[in-house]
Amino acid sequence: GLSAAPSAYSTDAKPNTLEEITSYNNFYEFGWDKGDPAKYAGALTTDPWSVEIGGLVGRPGRYDLADVLKTAPLEERIYRFRCVEAWSMVIPWIGFPLAALLARVEPQPGAKYVALETLLRPEEMPGQRAGGIDWPYVEGLRLDEAMHPLTLLASGLYGEELPKQNGAPLRLVVPWKYGFKSIKSIVKITLTAEEPRTTWKALQPREYGFYANVNPEVDHPRWSQASERRIGAGLLAGREPTLMFNGYADEVAGLYAGLDLRKNY
Amino acid sequence: MIGAVNGALRRVPVWAVYLAGLLPLCWIIWLTLAGGIGVDPVKAIEHRLGKVALWFLIGGLAVTPLRRIAGLNLIRFRRALGLTAFLYVCLHALAWIWFDMGLLWAQAAADLVKRPYLLFGMVALALIVPLALTSNTASVRRLGPAWRRLHWLTYPAVALGVVHYLWQMKVISTEGWLWAAALAGLLVLRLPGLARLRLV
């Protein structure tokens, strides 16, 4: 098991079961069905693993996973997780703030954004052999979002190493944004001056924006975001209201002062 | 050969078809109670009910071409197939509004407008309600030739149902294309020139 200190950022909501968290995944590199990642991610080689960090940083380079994980002490962060498809879970991640890793590589003054990239390995990822998405999956954050203490690099779940279907060995978790921002199986981090390309915005710009902040007042063009279904809540649990910034408004609303969240969805 | 099959079919009571039509429902209920329906029972139940509705909708549509082309006579069972399809369409819609939408009617109505595939499904349901209501023998007698015209609505209803099914997929799967092909085949067979096509 991994030893991780509890965190004041954890919610006291009851976490979903390990089975729920590991058998209901959107990880299209392994297929379109929510059960596909659990079925096919076993073939993924996660050791050796390294992360290439570059762009506008003082200490660019290829960092071995073990080295990356030594950046800061591991914490357990029990976060709400809200998918853009309007379902949600509560997940006990283990990781450390992305800010610590970024500080280590010394962002240059011109750096405004952080671009992240998932592994491209079609021989181990059947979904990458099918069309539909321009692989590899890419995501990004504004630098201040990336430096926010809630933004986590996760390497574990429920006290153990991260299961492959959940984005092993290293994934991002941005709890106030829709789940697709929380890019899995990261191999590359690049600091940039311009807003980086992100997979879903490139695919459907009308439906998915760069920010993707959880917002009950701004609907997806095809469905309401006002409420969500908690996975595991039972057949007759109905829906619960979605909270602004997924309940993290106190911590993150300040990042978006003056920004029109309807335009910048 | 086909005569022997038809002979055997004549001895199958219609109630047995109704009963068999309930088996998928029993299976879904069993899976739910036994915990084998998966971590998201809401979507699983909703999707399974919709899929079973498709079987019976397409099955009902296949009865006439099967008789014309292959000589297989399933006409006695067509009402049972249609009413069973109607049952599953209703349960599918009920699972959506109750389990999935949590009876949030206003939000459900708003989503209906936002998502054409939902609207397609709802229209399909609306189209088959009068068909179910007039499926009894008394209505068939009373409506006479108008009954046949009314029941022509089966075609747009099933077509909307299949489109509804295909449209909710992020990317249309092989199975989706097979359903589309089955529907297209059944519709093509009703074209005036092909309606008289026979193999036997």
Side-chain angles (χ1 to χ4, degrees):
Chain A
L2 297 174
S3 66
S7 163
Y9 285 118
S10 288
T11 167
D12 27 6
K14 186 174 174 282
N16 280 83
T17 65
L18 184 66
E19 195 211 349
E20 286 159 355
I21 297 168
T22 55
S23 61
Y24 193 82
N25 307 98
N26 283 330
F27 195 172
Y28 295 140
E29 281 81 344
F30 295 104
W32 292 101
D33 193 85
K34 295 230 173 2
D36 285 342
K39 252 186 249 168
Y40 303 119
L44 180 68
T45 307
T46 53
D47 185 18
W49 195 277
S50 61
V51 183
E52 191 189 330
I53 307 180
L56 303 173
V57 293
R59 302 168 62 87
R62 184 175 287 280
Y63 291 76
D64 190 67
L65 178 69
D67 184 20
V68 171
L69 294 179
K70 272 186 251 157
T71 300
L74 294 180
E75 299 172 39
E76 178 174 73
R77 298 266 186 109
I78 306 171
Y79 278 167
R80 285 181 291 276
F81 182 94
R82 170 64 155 78
C83 179
V84 73
E85 296 165 342
W87 53 266
S88 63
M89 290 196 192
V90 175
I91 305 180
W93 301 110
I94 288 175
F96 64 90
L98 173 61
L101 181 65
L102 293 178
R104 205 179 137 188
V105 297
E106 296 167 9
Q108 293 171 359
K112 295 281 179 285
Y113 294 91
V114 180
L116 302 110
E117 193 174 306
T118 295
L119 177 73
L120 176 67
R121 194 179 287 159
E123 61 274 23
E124 289 182 0
M125 297 175 133
Q128 290 185 339
R129 302 198 288 269
I133 287 180
D134 182 15
W135 308 109
Y137 191 84
V138 286
E139 256 307 336
L141 297 169
R142 244 172 34 193
L143 186 58
D144 58 341
E145 295 174 324
M147 295 297 287
H148 192 281
L150 278 174
T151 303
L152 199 71
L153 271 181
S155 62
L157 172 68
Y158 260 120
E160 299 291 336
E161 275 181 20
L162 201 58
K164 291 176 179 176
Q165 61 265 42
N166 293 88
L170 190 70
R171 67 168 290 166
L172 184 70
V173 181
V174 194
W176 72 92
K177 291 175 180 285
Y178 294 122
F180 69 87
K181 294 296 288 183
S182 294
I183 184 169
K184 303 186 182 82
S185 306
I186 298 167
V187 292
K188 195 171 174 185
I189 300 176
T190 313
L191 278 77
T192 64
E194 305 293 328
E195 183 185 299
R197 187 175 76 89
T198 56
T199 293
W200 283 103
K201 187 182 173 188
L203 215 64
Q204 293 285 357
R206 220 175 57 81
E207 301 191 354
Y208 308 99
F210 177 76
Y211 284 94
N213 290 318
V214 175
N215 188 337
E217 289 153 27
V218 177
D219 286 346
H220 185 278
R222 288 183 286 134
W223 59 88
S224 166
Q225 295 290 24
S227 67
E228 63 202 46
R229 236 163 27 79
R230 175 75 62 83
I231 299 300
L235 206 49
L236 299 175
R239 304 176 79 88
E240 42 192 89
T242 289
L243 303 173
M244 189 66 200
F245 295 115
N246 200 25
Y248 298 95
D250 287 349
E251 289 87 352
V252 302
L255 293 171
Y256 307 103
L259 192 74
D260 184 347
L261 296 176
R262 270 182 196 284
K263 284 196 188 119
N264 298 281
Y265 50 88
Chain B
M1 164 68 188
I2 202 77
V5 174
N6 283 333
L9 282 171
R10 264 194 292 279
R11 283 190 292 278
V12 175
V14 173
W15 60 259
V17 175
Y18 279 110
L19 213 59
L22 292 175
L23 288 178
L25 179 61
C26 295
W27 176 239
I28 292 170
I29 292 170
W30 162 251
L31 281 181
T32 305
L33 296 178
I37 196 97
V39 299
D40 188 10
V42 173
K43 285 284 176 203
I45 289 170
E46 189 178 322
H47 290 169
R48 279 170 185 267
L49 289 169
K51 185 64 72 65
V52 178
L54 269 187
W55 298 347
F56 284 95
L57 287 168
I58 291 283
L61 215 55
V63 168
T64 299
L66 276 176
R67 189 172 63 155
R68 285 209 177 128
I69 295 169
L72 184 67
N73 190 354
L74 297 167
I75 295 289
R76 276 176 63 231
F77 308 119
R78 191 165 61 175
R79 182 191 301 175
L81 294 175
L83 283 174
T84 304
F86 178 68
L87 170 73
Y88 283 99
V89 171
C90 289
L91 290 174
H92 172 62
L94 189 69
W96 173 67
I97 191 67
W98 188 11
F99 300 159
D100 193 346
M101 296 311 298
L103 299 176
L104 296 175
W105 295 90
Q107 191 183 325
D111 277 11
L112 214 57
V113 181
K114 285 198 177 88
R115 308 172 95 164
Y117 87 80
L118 282 176
L119 203 57
F120 276 44
M122 275 298 160
V123 174
L125 169 59
L127 289 181
I128 60 172
V129 168
L131 308 190
L133 292 178
T134 58
S135 62
N136 56 81
T137 311
S139 292
V140 178
R141 287 210 190 97
R142 198 172 60 242
L143 289 169
W147 189 91
R148 286 184 71 93
R149 283 200 298 277
L150 179 66
H151 280 248
W152 178 87
L153 284 178
T154 310
Y155 295 100
V158 179
L160 285 170
V162 172
V163 173
H164 161 82
Y165 165 65
L166 296 179
W167 204 337
Q168 53 85 35
M169 296 184 192
K170 287 198 182 78
V171 167
I172 295 175
S173 63
T174 311
E175 189 190 350
W177 288 119
L178 290 175
W179 283 102
L183 172 73
L186 289 169
L187 292 180
V188 163
L189 286 171
R190 304 310 299 242
L191 291 174
L194 287 169
R196 275 173 234 298
L197 183 74
R198 269 161 221 282
L199 294 182
V200 288

